[in-house]
Amino acid sequence: GRRSRAGYKLAELDRRDRLLRPGMVVVDLGAAPGGWSEYAAGRVAPGGRVVAVDRLPMAPIAGVDFVQGDFTEAAVAETVRARLGGPADLVLSDMAPSLSGVRDRDRALAEALALAAIDFAEGVLRPGGDLLVKVFEGPELAALRARLGAAFAAVATRKPPASRARSSELYLLARHYSHV
Ligand code: SAM
């Protein structure tokens, strides 16, 4: 179904980069309808868990603790952090704005979501933890990469095959967080 098709992208990235292991604590930002959450919950079992958030509702998934709300609201981000109850090993963000068609506005919204994911990751990741965040091609990309380069040992760009070639979405994979 739709859920598993969405999950292919994460499965492809995981096969290439070995992102997920049993026992990990994972945050999934922009999780609905749940493809990534479902895939991640399967890979972190046994012993791991996934805390997921979306402003849209999501049907329950075993091993996934779901928070419904707008992640850019401080109270929602704080609820996600409280559900974690401690540091995270991996933060995933597939958040994307609903497109208005006004290109500059859409780019600014997408950049704000990526920055919100990065801020959050820098607050909850354990030292050595990783972040995978969806971004869009454009003039903002260099600054986002530079920001990640300051706090993570390595930053790579990924375009999984399941991501349609025409779409301008990319993922930045930032590995080995170190507090700065
Ligand atoms: N990774 C998901 C999957 O595998 O099913 C698909 C995610 S979809 C591409 C992007 C999601 O980001 C949408 O469900 C949207 O509601 C969510 N989103 C966008 N802005 C958000 C925000 N401010 N707070 C929470 N979720 C948001």
Side-chain angles (χ1 to χ4, degrees):
R2 266 171 70 218
R3 222 182 223 181
S4 40
R5 266 211 308 285
Y8 287 160
K9 276 193 277 189
L10 181 60
E12 287 169 353
L13 290 162
D14 184 33
R15 265 195 292 280
R16 172 172 179 166
D17 289 299
R18 311 219 155 268
L19 301 174
L20 291 152
R21 289 180 304 283
M24 285 176 80
V25 174
V26 177
V27 182
D28 185 12
L29 307 175
W36 284 30
S37 280
E38 191 168 54
Y39 177 80
R43 292 278 289 121
V44 302
R49 65 203 181 84
V50 176
V51 178
V53 61
D54 205 289
R55 55 179 182 207
L56 300 178
M58 187 167 97
I61 301 170
V64 178
D65 183 2
F66 179 64
V67 175
Q68 188 177 352
D70 181 343
F71 181 72
T72 61
E73 288 175 13
V76 174
E78 194 45 50
T79 302
V80 175
R81 185 203 288 265
R83 295 281 182 93
L84 276 171
D89 299 297
L90 173 66
V91 173
L92 305 170
S93 174
D94 199 24
M95 285 193 290
S98 353
L99 297 182
S100 70
V102 182
R103 202 179 56 174
D104 288 353
R105 180 174 156 70
D106 289 341
R107 283 220 293 253
L109 286 170
E111 185 192 22
L113 289 175
L115 283 171
I118 294 169
D119 283 342
F120 181 81
E122 292 185 354
V124 301
L125 281 177
R126 68 166 168 81
D130 297 332
L131 165 66
L132 177 72
V133 57
K134 191 205 296 262
V135 295
F136 293 86
E137 271 175 90
E140 304 80 9
L141 192 51
L144 291 171
R145 274 193 76 112
R147 162 89 191 269
L148 291 171
F152 291 82
V155 184
T157 303
R158 293 286 182 260
K159 175 90 177 166
S163 173
R164 280 163 300 157
R166 271 181 322 158
S167 104
S168 63
E169 75 176 18
L170 299 170
Y171 295 87
L172 292 179
L173 175 59
R175 305 211 79 161
H176 209 82
Y177 178 62
S178 55
H179 290 274
V180 281

